[in-house]
Amino acid sequence: MQEWLVRSTEAVVLVIDAMALLVIAFGTLQAFVATLAATFSPVAGHDRRDIWLRYARWLVAGLTFQLAADIVESSITTSWEAVGRLAAIAVIRTFLNYFLERDLEDMRKRQREQATEPAALHQES
């Protein structure tokens, strides 16, 4: 029974890691194409920020999947060395995810402020 559980868990980890890879690869490709298009055409600063915001969202999603795979993998890890390695990876991914989320929220806040500024100026006139 334990062998079956270990094999199932390994398969689940592999599938989740593959999903993370696909999410990150797709987001990277999308950001690359959008950046190339923006490079060769006149694009406003907020449009460039939107490219990076979308990319950051893809990265956050991919990191979240990777963290999920780490959590599942930790359930079958038997050596303390492997547990320590998984813990270090999970901490790094969690910090990356935290800082990406924080940057995304800062950018969203700035976008909301910029969107309300023209409306406030228009109401004053």
Side-chain angles (χ1 to χ4, degrees):
M1 179 70 160
Q2 184 178 1
E3 186 178 320
W4 174 84
L5 184 61
V6 169
R7 287 186 184 186
S8 298
T9 302
E10 288 171 345
V12 167
V13 168
L14 184 63
V15 168
I16 296 172
D17 277 335
M19 290 187 300
L21 175 65
L22 289 173
V23 166
I24 292 170
F26 182 79
T28 300
L29 181 62
Q30 185 183 52
F32 178 74
V33 169
T35 300
L36 277 180
T39 301
F40 297 109
S41 65
V43 174
H46 63 85
D47 289 331
R48 289 184 196 275
R49 277 192 307 272
D50 285 342
I51 292 169
W52 295 115
L53 268 176
R54 279 195 308 274
Y55 187 43
R57 287 184 193 116
W58 285 108
L59 290 176
V60 166
L63 282 167
T64 303
F65 282 119
Q66 287 179 327
L67 189 55
D70 292 341
I71 291 168
V72 172
E73 187 176 1
S74 71
S75 70
I76 60 168
T77 303
T78 56
S79 75
W80 282 108
E81 181 181 326
V83 169
R85 183 179 49 81
L86 275 173
I89 290 168
V91 166
I92 291 167
R93 289 180 179 164
T94 300
F95 274 108
L96 285 171
N97 201 1
Y98 169 78
F99 287 112
L100 271 172
E101 283 284 355
R102 192 183 71 180
D103 289 347
L104 279 171
E105 186 55 38
D106 287 346
M107 290 186 86
R108 285 185 201 115
K109 184 178 174 183
R110 275 189 252 143
Q111 282 181 332
R112 283 190 298 266
E113 288 171 356
Q114 288 174 353
T116 58
E117 283 177 13
L121 290 174
H122 183 69
Q123 288 176 354
E124 290 177 5
S125 359

